[in-house]
């Protein structure tokens, strides 16, 4: 009788492309907010796209507004940059908090709280009367955004083994790329038509939509809650175990390098393209959108590479594109070629490589830790934030009236990325075979 009741409660998703069978439990209560329907593969892709896509929406939609809000609020270039830097710093610290909370209480309650706070902070940012208030609200927005991104990465490990998780992550990041394509030109249009505050209202609308979808569609995915995950002694022990694992260090460092190069473009390109190279705001949005198209191509290529060469083989080949893009951008600028295309064409190559490294890095970093995926995801995200913080400091100290801070920054990070991909990842990038299999999972 007990086996029969258990079998009725559990449903296995056998849709193609999942990579392993997913344990999804039927609802026990009629309320859609309390018990969403079991997840299907398309629903997983949509959930991950919304949760991971919240980051490019929060940054890319807002970038064309930076020069405008600087003038409107009477702020300096550095103060306008702080609205982005504060968001990234709070995002990094927030991940350290949200990961253990998600391991203790589950992904769903942390997501509902985080997305609610994110939406409210976005609305307050749109109404900010001064640059100081805007910086403060953007910091809160970044801390709340951490819940969405950390739980999204954790959900992948809850449902998939690392290789299958990387394939699913690449599908979701293709959706993220589509969001990133649309965000900059849409942000440019909004600034031209309605002013910079309209971009933040649109960000609030996206947060509300993600909150609604999670509330109605996402069941709890954590295999087993850890009631001690937030206790200081346990938390420190979990951090130490994750950081001591060579597989985690290899993938986390890869993710930090590739994200650092992307953040260098995000944080510095608006001033380089608009102020130095004379590009219009709408044209700048289209430029960033075209970079996102190259990134989408990289995510599609990533899925093919994973099937043929596995995680380490995919990264090995993607690093060649990253290095070619970053190094050629730096060399062209040093040769005195300071044009839009001298930055944009190499950035396409870097973006293709990023489309490979991002899903592989995120899936690989949490791979060895099925029972503390939230903690591993938070530490992986924090290393990316540290890289972004370092890039922000670099740009804050060097960004002036030349292209060199942007081009040399991306060039240097591409060299570091290729070094990690061809050494550490090849030596330590394969998660331990002794990982506990997923609950209810069967061989595909």
């Amino acid at each position: 009788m007990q086996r029969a009741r258990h079998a009725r409660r559990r449903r296995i998703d056998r849709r193609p492309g999942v990579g392993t069978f997913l344990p999804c439990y039927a609802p026990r209560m009629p309320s859609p907010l309390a018990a969403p329907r079991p997840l299907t593969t398309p629903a997983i892709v949509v959930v991950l796209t919304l949760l991971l896509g919240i980051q490019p929406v929060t940054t890319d939609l807002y970038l064309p507004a930076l020069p405008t809000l600087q003038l409107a609020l009477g702020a300096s270039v550095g103060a306008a940059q702080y609205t982005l830097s504060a968001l990234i710093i709070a995002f990094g610290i927030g991940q350290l908090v949200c990961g253990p909370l998600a391991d203790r209480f589950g992904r769903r309650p942390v997501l509902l709280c985080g997305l609610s706070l994110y939406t409210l902070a976005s609305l307050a940012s749109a109404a900010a009367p001064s640059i100081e208030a805007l910086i403060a609200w953007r910091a809160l927005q970044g801390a709340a955004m951490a819940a969405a991104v950390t739980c999204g990465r954790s959900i992948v490990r809850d449902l998939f083994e690392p290789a299958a998780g990387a394939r699913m992550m690449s599908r979701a990041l293709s959706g993220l790329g589509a969001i990133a394509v649309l965000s900059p030109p849409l942000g440019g249009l909004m600034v031209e038509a309605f002013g910079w505050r309209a971009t933040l209202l649109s960000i609030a609308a996206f947060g509300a939509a993600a909150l609604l979808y999670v509330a109605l569609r996402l069941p709890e995915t954590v295999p087993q809650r850890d009631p001690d995950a937030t206790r200081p002694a346990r938390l420190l022990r979990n951090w130490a175990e994750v950081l001591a694992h060579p597989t985690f260090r290899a993938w986390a460092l890869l993710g930090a390098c590739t994200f650092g190069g992307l953040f260098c473009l995000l944080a510095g390109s608006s001033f380089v393209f608009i102020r130095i190279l004379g590009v219009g705001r709408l044209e700048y949005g289209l430029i960033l959108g075209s970079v996102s198209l190259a990134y989408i191509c990289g995510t599609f290529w990533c899925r093919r590479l994973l099937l043929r060469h596995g995680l380490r083989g995919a990264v090995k080949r993607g690093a060649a594109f990253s290095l070619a893009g970053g190094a050629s951008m730096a060399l062209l600028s040093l040769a005195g070629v300071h044009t839009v295309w001298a930055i944009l064409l190499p950035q396409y190559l870097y973006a293709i490589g990023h489309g490979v490294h991002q899903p592989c890095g995120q899936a690989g970093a949490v791979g060895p830790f099925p029972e503390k995926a939230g903690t591993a995801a938070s530490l992986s995200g924090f290393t990316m934030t540290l890289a972004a913080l370092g890039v922000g400091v670099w740009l804050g100290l060097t960004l002036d009236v030349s292209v060199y801070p942007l081009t040399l920054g991306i060039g240097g990070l591409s060299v570091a990325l290729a070094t990690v991909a061809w050494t550490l990842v090849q030596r330590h990038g394969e998660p331990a075979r002794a990982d506990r299999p997923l609950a209810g999972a069967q061989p595909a």
Side-chain angles (χ1 to χ4, degrees):
M1 289 292 292
Q2 290 181 349
R3 288 185 178 179
R5 285 196 298 270
H6 183 67
R8 282 196 299 270
R9 284 200 306 267
R10 187 170 68 189
R11 297 180 182 178
I12 304 295
D13 188 341
R14 299 172 182 265
R15 292 173 177 266
V18 171
T20 187
F21 296 147
L22 307 180
C24 299
Y25 292 86
R28 298 181 181 179
M29 299 179 65
S31 168
L33 292 178
R37 297 187 305 260
L39 279 175
T40 61
T41 299
I44 296 172
V45 175
V46 173
V47 165
L48 292 177
T49 298
L50 289 173
L51 297 182
L52 301 176
I54 203 169
Q55 189 173 358
V57 165
T58 310
T59 54
D60 295 14
L61 191 68
Y62 172 77
L63 285 178
L66 274 177
T68 303
L69 73 87
Q70 175 211 340
L71 297 176
L73 297 178
S76 65
V77 173
Q81 285 284 350
Y82 288 150
T83 63
L84 188 59
S85 299
L87 176 116
I88 296 299
I89 293 171
F91 173 60
I93 297 173
Q95 290 178 86
L96 294 179
V97 176
C98 292
L101 287 175
D103 284 342
R104 178 178 178 180
F105 297 107
R107 318 305 184 208
R108 182 175 161 82
V110 173
L111 277 173
L112 293 176
C113 293
L115 289 171
S116 299
L117 184 60
Y118 173 88
T119 303
L120 293 175
S122 300
L123 290 172
S125 298
S130 65
I131 191 67
E132 292 80 11
L134 180 59
I135 291 171
W137 286 117
R138 288 284 281 176
L140 183 59
Q141 192 181 40
M145 181 175 70
V149 177
T150 300
C151 289
R153 294 169 182 156
S154 303
I155 287 169
V156 173
R157 187 61 185 97
D158 293 341
L159 301 177
F160 301 96
E161 294 294 348
R167 291 195 294 271
M168 180 57 70
M169 184 74 79
S170 70
R171 294 177 67 179
L173 292 178
S174 296
L176 177 151
I179 293 173
V181 168
L182 297 174
S183 292
L186 183 60
L189 286 173
M190 286 182 176
V191 173
E192 294 287 347
F194 305 110
W196 64 271
R197 297 182 190 273
T199 61
L200 290 166
L201 288 174
S202 299
I203 291 171
F206 185 92
L211 173 63
L212 182 63
Y213 194 88
V214 166
L216 295 176
R217 197 66 187 89
L218 181 68
E220 184 54 66
T221 63
V222 68
Q224 183 177 356
R225 293 178 178 87
D226 182 358
D228 299 325
T230 55
R231 292 184 179 179
R234 178 63 172 273
L235 183 61
L236 292 174
R237 186 165 68 248
N238 284 346
W239 281 351
E241 289 177 3
V242 172
L243 291 172
H245 203 293
T247 298
F248 172 83
R249 292 200 301 269
W251 289 114
L253 189 56
L254 180 85
C257 290
T258 189
F259 182 72
L262 174 67
F263 187 78
C264 194
L265 178 77
L266 296 179
S269 62
S270 62
F271 293 97
V272 169
F273 281 113
I274 295 174
R275 293 281 177 84
I276 298 174
L277 300 179
V279 172
R281 290 179 179 83
L282 178 57
E283 290 80 6
Y284 170 69
L286 294 173
I287 285 173
L288 283 189
S290 68
V291 172
S292 297
L293 283 174
Y295 168 76
I296 293 175
C297 293
T299 63
F300 279 102
W301 186 42
C302 177
R303 293 201 284 276
R304 295 178 62 87
L305 289 176
L306 285 168
L307 290 173
R308 298 181 62 180
H309 304 288
L311 278 169
R312 291 183 294 181
V315 164
K316 184 177 181 180
R317 289 157 178 82
F321 276 73
S322 301
L323 181 60
S328 62
M329 184 188 301
L331 291 174
L332 284 171
S333 67
L334 291 173
V337 185
H338 298 171
T339 65
V340 170
W341 291 107
I343 296 175
L344 190 56
L345 292 179
Q347 185 61 39
Y348 288 157
L349 295 177
Y350 189 93
I352 291 172
H354 185 65
V356 175
H357 301 311
Q358 190 176 30
C360 292
Q362 292 182 15
V366 300
F369 311 102
E371 292 161 354
K372 41 181 174 283
T375 299
S378 67
L379 286 173
S380 173
F382 185 69
T383 60
M384 289 191 283
T385 303
L386 289 179
L389 179 60
V391 168
V393 171
W394 159 261
L395 292 176
L397 294 174
T398 60
L399 194 61
D400 46 20
V401 293
S402 73
V403 303
Y404 294 122
L406 175 68
T407 59
L408 298 183
I410 294 176
L413 284 163
S414 72
V415 173
L417 188 157
T419 302
V420 172
W422 293 336
T423 57
L424 294 179
V425 169
Q426 300 308 311
R427 293 172 191 163
H428 308 296
E430 200 65 38
R433 295 291 183 182
D435 284 354
R436 177 186 57 80
L438 298 178
Q442 303 176 21

